[in-house]
Amino acid sequence: MRPRDRKGDYAMVSFRVGNTMTENGGVSRGVCENTDGLLTSVVERKSIAYNPDHEIVFTDEKGEEQKLDPKTTVSMNMWDFTPDYFELAEREFNKFLDRNLTTPNAELVIPDVADALIKLGEVTIKILDADSRWFGWFISDIQ
């Protein structure tokens, strides 16, 4: 683990996926792994939804359905970064562009950057656990 100092010491509010679901369709969440209260991995998963048996599932990179325990830690993009993050994020964005410049639908999301920085050993991200329930609305609800 890298030495603890102010630069690169970040935090993320985490939720339990079961508290962030809706009956109105799929959601995107950063599925997290952590050890001793520190984030060790975060992978953005799209279209997390209930299956007919009301289990929480998503489709992985191989096209296979994966189940998530309702208590799985997820990110809803509530991050606490210090200003040094933006220099690191810019570097990761440039790498992303090098890899994806000809891929029109490519998307770089904050969890991708956070995960890369963790794996490079450049940052430490503390998990701030929230057991609150998410609530929200969809555009179709207000039209």
Side-chain angles (χ1 to χ4, degrees), residues 54-142:
H54 212 262
E55 298 167 311
I56 302 171
V57 297
F58 69 92
T59 303
D60 69 13
E61 298 83 5
K62 298 175 186 173
E64 298 176 12
E65 184 176 274
Q66 301 293 327
K67 293 180 188 175
L68 287 174
D69 184 295
K71 294 183 183 199
T72 299
T73 301
V74 295
S75 163
M76 293 183 59
N77 283 325
M78 296 180 72
W79 300 92
D80 176 26
F81 296 126
T82 54
D84 61 290
Y85 167 81
F86 297 100
E87 183 177 315
L88 297 171
E90 180 178 16
R91 184 193 69 210
E92 294 304 311
F93 179 65
N94 287 328
K95 290 180 188 178
F96 168 81
L97 288 178
D98 290 343
R99 290 188 310 266
N100 296 287
L101 196 55
T102 59
T103 309
N105 292 331
E107 178 182 17
L108 180 66
V109 293
I110 294 172
D112 293 343
V113 174
D115 191 64
L117 296 175
I118 291 167
K119 287 183 174 42
L120 289 169
E122 295 182 314
V123 304
T124 301
I125 302 177
K126 182 178 179 180
I127 297 284
L128 305 174
D129 185 45
D131 62 0
S132 305
R133 291 196 57 80
W134 168 84
F135 67 93
W137 63 87
F138 288 83
I139 295 300
S140 61
D141 292 340
I142 59 175

Side-chain angles (χ1 to χ4, degrees), residues 29-67:
R29 302 285 183 256
V31 177
C32 302
E33 293 179 14
N34 63 82
T35 301
D36 299 326
L38 297 177
L39 188 64
T40 58
S41 173
V42 57
V43 178
E44 184 79 3
R45 298 293 183 188
K46 298 180 184 208
S47 300
I48 299 172
Y50 290 115
N51 69 10
D53 295 325
H54 212 262
E55 298 167 311
I56 302 171
V57 297
F58 69 92
T59 303
D60 69 13
E61 298 83 5
K62 298 175 186 173
E64 298 176 12
E65 184 176 274
Q66 301 293 327
K67 293 180 188 175

